[in-house]
Amino acid sequence: MRQTYAGAETFPPVARAYTEVSQVVRETGLLRRARWFYAIVGVAIALAFGGAITGFVLLGDTWYQLLIAGALGVIFTQVAFLAHEAAHRQILVSGPANDRLGRILAAGVVGISLSWWNNKHNRHHANPNRVGKDPDIEVDTIRFLEEDAAKVSRLGALITRRQGWLFFPLLTLEGANLHALGLKHLFSRGEVKGRWIELGLIAMRFSLYLTPIFLFLPVGMAFAFLGVQLAVFGVYMGASFAPNHKGMPIIAADAKLDFFSKQVRTSRNIRGGWWATALMGGLNYQVEHHLFPSMARPHLAKTREIVREQCRTRGVPYTETSLIQSYGIVIAYLNRVGLAARDPFDCPMVNRFRSA
């Protein structure tokens, strides 16, 4: 089974579209930093951590600790959003200062490698949904391309054929997977920027985090605490990033597209205003984030109006849905792709006689 990919014929080039919109954005002052906003967010997260720690101490040996674990999963995800923004140099003026902040937040607080994240995420931004170049659609437990789904083993097909429905349950494992992938990258043989700094930060983070959990809670409860925290973290991260591109057009590997068309047509915004921005760390404005990756979170809403007008003028589709609708689109898309996987219960001999 072969999937139909979008290319230059599907998306005619839009001359000067990005130049025009970026000039308006620059003149409007929407590329300036928003230090006070990020300072307030930082204080709010620090207070949330303080509340979680206080709750952990006061609750003691009780299964209500799982509520604290869930809260920590949410808080760590909010820190990951800030690390993502620092990696894009949205928070501070200096590039190196953003890198240092991002490394502290990602490795020292969340426990994942910023170097691994940057390597993967920068390739995604350069070629979203492009076959062979976007790591976010490469082969994994979930198959995002029909050709990849058709190649799974009969055992793997049990998951792939139902992967849309299994997508969110599988995200409960994504938290642990993010930690593992980061460590695998840091222990790889190739050159890794900040390898030993990140390994030191991650080791310190896990020591400070795991010691009180296993010291003050029974072993079974401690593992349950860790499992809930990782599950909530994985689901929250996956549920925030998944609506952005899944189910949007897939670009052929050799397609030559202008920057504006490539970024706008492969991205999906989520409606909801300020609450969606707080919930998703600004990822709800995915179109604008891809056009201006270094733009501070508070300026994305105003930029949306400028980009929407440019798209209307140029006849470029601008995709925006509710959060629930986006999840429905993602599930339907993954199930459709999964149908390309061979049925694990098919009998090879029967199929051979059918085709004869």
Side-chain angles (χ1 to χ4, degrees):
M1 183 175 291
R2 294 187 62 83
Q3 185 163 346
T4 301
Y5 299 131
E9 294 181 357
T10 312
F11 301 157
V14 184
R16 292 182 54 80
Y18 182 69
T19 302
E20 293 171 356
V21 77
S22 61
Q23 182 177 351
V24 175
V25 166
R26 192 176 297 108
E27 291 174 351
T28 311
L30 294 173
L31 293 178
R32 69 185 183 276
R33 293 294 176 261
R35 294 180 180 177
W36 282 109
F37 170 81
Y38 287 111
I40 293 171
V41 172
V43 169
I45 289 176
L47 290 174
F49 269 122
I53 294 170
T54 302
F56 178 86
V57 173
L58 294 177
L59 285 174
D61 181 358
T62 169
W63 285 102
Y64 285 114
Q65 289 284 9
L66 298 187
L67 296 175
I68 302 298
L72 284 173
V74 172
I75 297 169
F76 281 133
T77 305
Q78 286 290 329
V79 177
F81 291 155
L82 284 181
H84 166 251
E85 290 172 290
H88 279 295
R89 304 188 172 182
Q90 297 174 212
I91 299 177
L92 305 174
V93 175
S94 164
N98 274 297
D99 291 341
R100 287 191 293 270
L101 176 61
R103 185 164 286 113
I104 291 171
L105 293 173
V109 180
V110 182
I112 61 177
S113 167
L114 183 72
S115 177
W116 163 76
W117 175 262
N118 279 345
N119 179 274
K120 173 180 179 291
H121 197 61
N122 289 343
R123 287 186 289 137
H124 159 71
H125 264 265
N127 291 283
N129 277 14
R130 185 186 288 266
V131 178
K133 294 185 177 180
D134 184 356
D136 286 358
I137 59 172
E138 289 178 354
V139 173
D140 203 341
T141 304
I142 298 293
R143 305 297 172 111
F144 299 103
L145 305 177
E146 291 175 2
E147 291 182 0
D148 292 333
K151 298 175 184 176
V152 298
S153 65
R154 294 189 181 279
L155 183 61
L158 288 171
I159 293 176
T160 303
R161 289 179 67 85
R162 299 163 181 81
Q163 63 179 5
W165 301 117
L166 293 174
F167 179 67
F168 286 98
L170 285 172
L171 286 180
T172 58
L173 305 176
E174 184 62 13
N177 187 46
L178 290 173
H179 291 298
L181 290 173
L183 289 173
K184 180 181 178 182
H185 173 78
L186 292 174
F187 282 112
S188 64
R189 292 187 175 183
E191 183 179 351
V192 177
K193 183 178 180 181
R195 183 199 303 269
W196 297 111
I197 295 175
E198 291 195 7
L199 282 173
L201 286 170
I202 290 174
M204 180 185 69
R205 183 264 185 190
F206 277 106
S207 296
L208 294 174
Y209 178 55
L210 296 179
T211 298
I213 293 175
F214 283 91
L215 187 62
F216 295 110
L217 298 180
V219 174
M221 189 181 296
F223 276 109
F225 185 99
L226 189 59
V228 169
Q229 183 266 297
L230 288 171
V232 171
F233 174 63
V235 171
Y236 193 179
M237 285 284 284
S240 298
F241 281 90
N244 304 335
H245 302 280
K246 304 299 182 282
M248 297 301 288
I250 302 295
I251 309 299
D254 58 350
K256 295 182 179 180
L257 304 174
D258 66 278
F259 181 78
F260 188 82
S261 295
K262 176 173 64 175
Q263 301 296 346
V264 173
R265 288 177 178 264
T266 59
S267 302
R268 178 192 298 114
N269 275 15
I270 302 300
R271 291 192 293 267
W274 66 268
W275 72 264
T277 302
L279 180 68
M280 303 179 69
L283 295 172
N284 51 312
Y285 294 115
Q286 192 65 196
V287 174
E288 291 70 31
H289 173 59
H290 265 257
L291 289 174
F292 305 99
S294 63
M295 178 176 288
R297 193 191 309 181
H299 304 321
L300 292 169
K302 290 184 178 179
T303 303
R304 168 183 172 273
E305 300 303 323
I306 298 172
V307 173
R308 279 172 59 91
E309 178 59 26
Q310 178 74 309
C311 287
R312 188 191 65 79
T313 302
R314 295 281 184 171
V316 177
Y318 184 98
T319 305
E320 190 173 70
T321 67
S322 70
L323 186 60
I324 299 301
Q325 286 175 327
S326 73
Y327 291 152
I329 292 169
V330 171
I331 291 171
Y333 171 74
L334 293 178
N335 278 333
R336 186 167 66 251
V337 170
L339 291 177
R342 50 188 171 177
D343 191 332
F345 301 107
D346 278 349
C347 174
M349 184 175 293
V350 171
N351 286 338
R352 190 177 71 180
F353 282 110
R354 282 176 179 172
S355 58

